[in-house]
Amino acid sequence: MSGTAVIGVSPQDLPACPVETTLKLIGNKWEVLVLRDLMPGTKRFGELKQSIGGVSQKVLTAKLREMEASGLVERHVYAEVPPRVEYSLTPLGRSLKPVLDSLEQWGTAYKKKVAAAVR
């Protein structure tokens, strides 16, 4: 099975620009927050919804499905009653850590500049 079939994305579906490709995958605030919250490890749906805050169940479900289809998130269903479902990052999803770290550093520096400008 080819790698594209595994992650459900075809190369012709991706923009020519690498920056646009990245934004297509994680250009939404909910996707970035899911990545942030799964970076430390596996979480259940309710834990994600609570830690992200402000996201509806419908939107979070849709984003998790999109991220699963693109190969960033894995969904693990355990045959229990009631069923237990956990989400974790794939190695591809984990490879976005430097991107998130850069966003965090930039956001921290920006907040400091804004605070200094107010003073």
Side-chain angles (χ1 to χ4, degrees):
M1 191 181 296
S2 74
T4 56
V6 171
I7 62 172
V9 176
S10 174
Q12 54 267 32
D13 293 338
L14 298 175
C17 172
V19 172
E20 190 177 348
T21 297
T22 305
L23 289 174
K24 182 175 179 164
L25 294 172
I26 63 164
N28 177 287
K29 77 175 181 177
W30 303 123
E31 294 153 347
V32 173
L33 295 177
V34 166
L35 289 170
R36 176 202 67 188
D37 287 358
L38 289 178
M39 221 30 98
T42 301
K43 285 198 161 119
R44 294 177 75 171
F45 184 88
E47 293 173 311
L48 278 173
K49 187 170 180 330
Q50 183 177 8
S51 66
I52 291 172
V55 65
S56 70
Q57 182 169 332
K58 179 180 177 180
V59 169
L60 182 56
T61 298
K63 291 304 168 189
L64 286 166
R65 285 182 182 157
E66 289 171 16
M67 295 174 78
E68 185 179 8
S70 65
L72 301 177
V73 170
E74 289 178 322
R75 181 176 185 257
H76 306 276
V77 181
Y78 296 91
E80 300 174 353
V81 178
R84 179 170 48 115
V85 180
E86 294 181 339
Y87 295 89
S88 59
L89 294 178
T90 63
L92 185 61
R94 290 201 164 285
S95 72
L96 286 161
K97 185 169 179 4
V99 175
L100 293 180
D101 290 345
S102 293
L103 288 170
E104 180 184 20
Q105 291 166 5
W106 189 90
T108 300
Y110 179 77
K111 287 172 73 174
K112 286 179 183 176
K113 286 184 192 263
V114 168
V118 171
R119 283 186 239 143

